[in-house]
């Protein structure tokens, strides 16, 4: 997917100007609310008209003020998953799912109902009304409805914001896998860096009506480590735990991690802040932290008065942080062997 | 003893016919007017709103008089219709038009309230899913404003049953032709012996209104339950 965009739009006290080319099949648009993310989404979909400029999707002109082109939304084949599911309350789950499908030209129909219903686990809901579904179910139906419209681009506009934490992380795998499985490129819009890192590799940072940066999610997470109160968040996918003395042992890399909380789901997601790791130059004899990992320093990066340390623990990677004097005192440079201590309670379960 | 004369039965039948026809005639226009006011942005929208709501504040007699000027033999529309061989004044059709004009703002208001409660994003969602604007109108806006349409229709029907001022001017008060229940009651009330007859028709009027309101409630509850 390639989007070329040069647009300008003014509201009463807000001015949006963007000039960029977006390439890739999974791209994020990141920024705080009020920065212009949703306006951009509206412009891509044809719901909001730029004052002037041009928008091209894969070489096709969607909007051009110069040439007087403004394709209506129904001709753009760009589907949206909104923050609120926006399901049609007068239609059943099946009626909602098929709304876009029926309106899609037969030649463009590549995904059919039965396959999608199975992937999203909606079989038992098909004939129900949509008003009594749970939040997560509604958002799955909304996603299915957008995918079944067989769009050439899917816009996900803060699709997880209305859900609570547990649900958020249950829906993410669906968002990602369904789009990948059916080969639909997407733009993922969010103000959450964690969501971004789970959904996309590359993103645009939008603030004050401007695209201020195009970068990788990893790079952004590292550059924000300094100002973020939670530091750099390591995301760990862990399998099935084994109970050990009231704690839970997860297979991780070549060894095991001990945590205080467990998740009965397979492939559970945990977060670990860079601030919750203590670095030792040599093996400490006795320590209360339950996890002591021998790691090799892959590299360091500065973050204000702190230093981020990229660690390799077998095949796994973690990022820890120490204040700059500590880094120089311990002589941490790429290639050093160190020990990282992590409390069992430092792992926080997501979802 | 309360009993109905053949003329009363004619009046009841005519009232129902006029109210039904006026509601049916106004419904498509009311829907379009409500749609324009709710969803479109155009120059002169305020004027349209004022024009639609004007009959609500004008005395029905004034409306009747304007209609007479417009549809009468010397009125410009009346002359056109005359050329086509259509005469409206002093026929039941004139009563329909009078009721339609007087009840129109009530209809538009109710449909508008229904339409305004529709989440704009639902309409946007339908557009991005491939629906043209008229497709969205028929498959999203229409079904979601059905409650407003039903409420407006009942209100309009009930209002038409009671229409008096405009009707008497454009349709007259001809028993068996244009005499609806209110006009018949007016006749009875002005005659010294008509007291019982007037009361009988008043009771009929009350019953008809109750039936309309009851029907509205029943249909409304059914729709709510279906949701």
């Amino acid at each position: 997917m390639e989007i070329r965009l040069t647009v300008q739009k003014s509201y009463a006290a807000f001015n949006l100007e963007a000039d960029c080319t977006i390439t890739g099949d999974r791209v994020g648009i990141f920024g705080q609310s009020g920065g212009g993310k949703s306006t951009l989404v509206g412009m891509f979909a044809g719901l909001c008209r730029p004052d002037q400029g041009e928008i091209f999707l894969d070489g096709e002109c969607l909007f051009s003020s110069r040439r007087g082109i403004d394709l209506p939304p129904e001709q753009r084949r760009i589907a949206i998953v909104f923050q609120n599911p926006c399901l049609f309350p007068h239609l059943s789950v099946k009626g909602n799912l098929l709304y876009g499908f029926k309106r899609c030209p037969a030649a463009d129909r590549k995904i059919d109902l039965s396959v999608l219903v199975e992937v999203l686990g909606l079989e038992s809901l098909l004939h129900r009304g949509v008003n009594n579904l749970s939040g997560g179910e509604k958002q799955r139906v909304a996603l299915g409805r957008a995918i079944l419209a067989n769009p050439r681009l899917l816009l996900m506009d803060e699709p997880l914001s209305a859900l609570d934490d547990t649900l958020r992380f249950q829906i993410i795998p669906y968002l990602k896998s369904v789009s990948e499985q059916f080969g639909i490129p997407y733009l993922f819009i969010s103000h959450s860096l964690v969501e971004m890192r789970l959904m996309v590799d590359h993103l645009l940072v939008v603030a004050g009506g401007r695209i201020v940066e195009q970068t990788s999610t990893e790079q952004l997470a590292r550059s924000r480590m300094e100002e973020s109160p939670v530091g750099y968040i390591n995301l760990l996918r862990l399998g099935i735990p084994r109970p050990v003395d009231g704690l839970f042992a997860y297979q991780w890399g070549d060894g095991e991690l001990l945590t205080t909380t467990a998740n009965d789901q397979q492939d559970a997601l945990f977060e670990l802040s860079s601030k919750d790791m203590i670095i030792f130059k040599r093996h400490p004899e006795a320590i209360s932290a339950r996890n002591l990992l021998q790691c090799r320093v892959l590299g360091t990066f500065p973050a204000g008065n702190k230093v981020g340390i990229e660690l390799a623990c077998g095949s796994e990677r973690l990022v820890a942080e120490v204040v700059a004097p500590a880094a120089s005192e311990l002589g941490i440079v790429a290639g050093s062997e160190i020990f990282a201590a992590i409390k069992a309670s430092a792992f926080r379960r997501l979802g | 003893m309360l009993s109905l004369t053949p003329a009363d039965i004619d009046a009841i039948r005519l009232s129902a016919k006029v109210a039904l026809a006026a509601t049916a005639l106004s419904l498509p226009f009311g829907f379009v007017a409500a749609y324009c006011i709710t969803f479109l942005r155009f120059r002169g929208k305020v004027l349209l709103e004022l024009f639609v709501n004007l009959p609500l504040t004008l005395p029905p007699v004034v409306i009747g008089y304007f209609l007479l000027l417009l549809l009468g033999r010397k009125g410009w529309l009346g002359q056109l219709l005359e050329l086509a061989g259509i005469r409206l004044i002093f026929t039941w059709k004139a009563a329909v038009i009078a009721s339609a004009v007087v009840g129109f703002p009530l209809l538009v208001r109710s449909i508008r309230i229904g339409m305004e409660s529709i989440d704009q994003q639902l309409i946007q969602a339908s557009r991005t899913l491939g629906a043209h604007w008229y497709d969205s109108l028929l498959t999203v806006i229409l079904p979601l404003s059905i409650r407003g349409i039903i409420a407006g229709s009942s209100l309009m029907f009930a209002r038409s049953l009671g229409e008096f001022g405009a009707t008497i001017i454009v349709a007259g008060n001809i028993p068996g032709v244009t005499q609806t229940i209110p006009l018949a009651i007016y006749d009875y009330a002005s005659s010294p012996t008509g007291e019982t007859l007037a009361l009988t028709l008043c009771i009929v009027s009350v019953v008809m209104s109750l039936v309309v309101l009851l029907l509205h409630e029943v249909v409304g509850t059914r729709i709510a339950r279906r949701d």
Side-chain angles (χ1 to χ4, degrees), chain B:
Chain B
M1 177 66 197
L2 300 176
S3 66
L4 296 166
T5 65
D8 292 345
I9 292 177
D10 277 349
I12 295 168
R13 203 178 285 149
L14 188 67
S15 277
K17 185 164 108 175
V18 167
L20 210 60
T23 311
L25 179 73
S26 306
L27 210 49
F29 296 103
F31 185 77
V32 171
Y35 175 79
C36 292
I37 294 172
T38 314
F39 294 107
L40 303 187
R41 269 188 278 169
F42 55 93
R43 258 173 201 231
K45 185 168 160 176
V46 177
L47 277 181
L48 175 70
E49 278 192 70
L50 278 179
F51 190 71
V52 163
N53 283 320
L54 200 59
L56 206 58
T57 46
L58 276 182
V61 177
V62 173
I63 296 168
Y65 193 70
F66 282 144
L67 284 176
L68 190 63
L69 291 180
L70 184 72
L71 300 171
R73 284 207 175 153
K74 289 179 186 160
W76 65 267
L77 199 56
Q79 281 177 345
L80 278 179
L81 290 170
E82 188 105 353
L83 284 178
I86 302 168
R87 208 185 121 236
L88 290 178
I89 299 300
F90 301 125
T91 67
W92 73 276
K93 290 171 198 151
V96 171
I97 291 173
S99 290
V101 173
V102 172
F104 196 67
L106 297 172
L107 180 71
V108 174
R109 246 160 211 265
S110 295
I111 300 179
R112 219 177 119 178
I113 291 169
M115 284 180 174
E116 277 166 358
S117 67
I118 300 174
D119 183 355
Q120 284 285 325
Q121 250 182 0
L122 286 179
I123 299 161
Q124 295 187 338
S126 80
R127 297 296 305 275
T128 59
L129 290 167
H132 293 270
W133 68 268
Y134 51 83
D135 191 355
S136 281
L137 177 66
L138 292 177
T139 57
V140 178
I141 298 174
L142 180 64
L144 291 180
S145 47
I146 198 79
R147 269 197 233 194
I149 293 173
I150 289 168
S153 306
S154 333
L155 211 57
M156 166 122 198
F157 185 81
R159 175 68 186 82
S160 301
L161 282 179
E163 214 317 288
F164 179 85
T167 310
I168 201 164
I169 290 190
V170 281
N173 188 358
I174 312 162
V177 183
T178 63
Q179 189 177 63
T180 55
I181 299 175
L183 299 178
I185 295 174
Y186 174 71
D187 263 6
Y188 287 137
S190 12
S191 91
T193 54
E195 203 174 292
T196 322
L197 292 165
L199 191 63
T200 314
L201 276 185
C202 286
I203 291 170
V204 170
S205 224
V206 170
V207 170
M208 284 176 88
S209 298
L210 283 176
V211 168
V212 172
L213 291 175
L214 201 69
L215 263 177
H216 171 223
E217 283 301 316
V218 169
V219 176
T221 323
R222 283 229 171 144
I223 288 177
R225 209 178 296 151
R226 201 183 60 192
D227 285 354

Side-chain angles (χ1 to χ4, degrees), chain A residues 47-254:
Chain A
L47 300 172
C48 165
R49 201 188 140 96
D51 293 341
Q52 56 184 2
E54 289 186 321
I55 303 172
F56 289 87
L57 172 60
D58 292 330
E60 188 192 339
C61 181
L62 303 181
F63 177 83
S64 168
S65 53
R66 193 166 48 86
R67 287 152 60 190
I69 297 173
D70 185 11
L71 278 192
E74 66 271 15
Q75 283 176 25
R76 296 195 181 194
R77 291 189 53 223
I78 297 179
I80 307 187
V81 180
F82 294 94
Q83 180 172 345
N84 299 313
C86 288
L87 299 178
F88 303 123
H90 55 296
L91 299 178
S92 66
V93 168
K94 193 175 175 186
N96 268 282
L97 286 173
L98 288 175
Y99 191 91
F101 185 76
K102 286 181 188 159
R103 287 160 178 81
C104 173
D108 294 323
R109 287 181 192 167
K110 290 184 193 116
I111 305 156
D112 75 8
L113 182 71
S114 55
V115 180
L116 181 99
V117 161
E118 201 185 317
V119 175
L120 288 176
L122 295 171
E123 295 95 335
S124 58
L125 305 177
L126 275 186
H127 299 288
R128 278 175 59 182
V130 295
N131 299 318
N132 295 322
L133 299 180
S134 71
E137 287 168 339
K138 280 184 182 168
Q139 205 53 296
R140 259 151 60 203
V141 175
L143 172 66
R145 185 179 66 176
I147 298 272
L148 269 178
N150 288 267
R152 49 183 174 167
L153 170 65
L154 184 61
L155 302 174
M156 303 191 197
D157 189 4
E158 303 261 6
L160 306 165
S161 305
L163 303 174
D164 63 42
D165 256 9
T166 319
L167 271 175
R168 267 201 312 160
F169 294 102
Q170 283 173 13
I171 296 289
I172 284 179
Y174 285 113
L175 292 179
K176 201 169 172 182
S177 65
V178 168
S179 316
E180 278 170 14
Q181 188 170 341
F182 297 114
I184 300 173
Y186 61 77
L187 282 182
F188 182 79
I189 292 92
S190 176
H191 63 271
S192 154
L193 188 54
V194 171
E195 285 176 12
M196 276 295 163
R197 289 174 58 202
L198 293 169
M199 289 296 296
V200 299
D201 304 320
H202 184 79
L203 53 74
L204 283 78
V205 182
V206 176
R210 304 278 184 283
I211 293 170
V212 292
E213 196 181 358
Q214 281 213 46
T215 179
S216 75
T217 38
E218 183 59 28
Q219 198 52 48
L220 185 73
R222 289 184 184 191
S223 67
R224 302 223 157 192
M225 185 175 89
E226 183 198 356
E227 61 201 63
S228 165
V230 289
Y232 174 98
I233 298 292
N234 291 286
L235 295 165
L236 296 88
R237 287 218 171 269
L238 301 175
I240 299 178
R242 179 171 61 83
V244 182
D245 301 334
L247 300 176
F248 301 93
Y250 280 97
Q251 188 66 41
W252 185 75
D254 305 332

